[in-house]
Amino acid sequence: MTSHLTRLAAAAMLAALPGVAHADTHAATANEGVNAIYERMATALSTGDAAMSRLTYADDAVFLPSQPVGIDQGAAVHDKMRMGVERMTADGATFKIAYRIVSRQIAGNLAIDAGYYRTDMTRPTGEPRSLTRYNKMLVVSAKQKDGSWKITHDASVASSQAAYEAAVAQPGLKFDR
């Protein structure tokens, strides 16, 4: 009887392995796709690419900015981001963003990230000439029909340098130094 149970247990474990391997592969692929969103955002902002929001946000995205303003959705998200990048470029400002994702939950074609980001802006004239801000964020991303991942919901609130620096890197998640 014991050997029969042992064989059944072994068979059950072997049967589960392909599913585990598939889940690990799905998570790794999802991590790569979601991390690419943050790379696209950082590159677009540092180069002044006004089409940045179309590369990173879904057409019907919902954006809750850290500033005390309203919630934007869809075209308003893209228009405000485009205008912001165009204004920075016209002013000769440079902008750099760094992310530290500390948690990610993946459920099928959705990913929920929690983490921090740091923004550094420098302007050739005006005050302040340089400005650094720290925020914490909660972002939902979805895999698109074309296989890319884009942000569908983005919320952030002010944070601190201490919280940003205390963030701990997690395997497979975007974490800028």
Side-chain angles (χ1 to χ4, degrees), residues 19-143:
V20 170
H22 174 66
D24 288 346
T25 301
H26 176 68
T29 302
N31 281 340
E32 289 174 14
V34 176
N35 288 342
I37 295 170
Y38 302 114
E39 289 295 328
R40 289 192 306 266
M41 177 84 79
T43 299
L45 289 171
S46 71
T47 61
D49 184 351
M52 167 270 303
S53 71
R54 296 286 179 190
L55 301 172
T56 55
Y57 287 86
D59 289 341
D60 59 349
V62 176
F63 183 63
L64 289 75
S66 60
Q67 299 84 6
V69 295
I71 297 171
D72 294 320
Q73 188 167 0
V77 171
H78 300 290
D79 290 343
K80 284 187 177 179
M81 289 190 183
R82 178 186 47 76
M83 289 186 294
V85 172
E86 287 174 350
R87 186 177 57 248
M88 284 184 351
T89 302
D91 291 347
T94 59
F95 194 85
K96 181 181 176 189
I97 190 166
Y99 294 95
R100 293 189 171 182
I101 309 305
V102 298
S103 172
R104 177 171 295 148
Q105 296 295 315
I106 298 170
N109 288 332
L110 291 177
I112 302 169
D113 285 351
Y116 301 90
Y117 64 94
R118 171 189 168 150
T119 56
D120 296 296
M121 184 180 71
T122 305
R123 299 186 289 184
T125 61
E127 292 298 325
R129 287 214 108 154
S130 64
L131 179 65
T132 298
R133 289 189 176 147
Y134 296 90
N135 292 80
K136 52 188 170 183
M137 63 183 215
L138 186 63
V139 172
V140 178
S141 303
K143 189 172 185 179

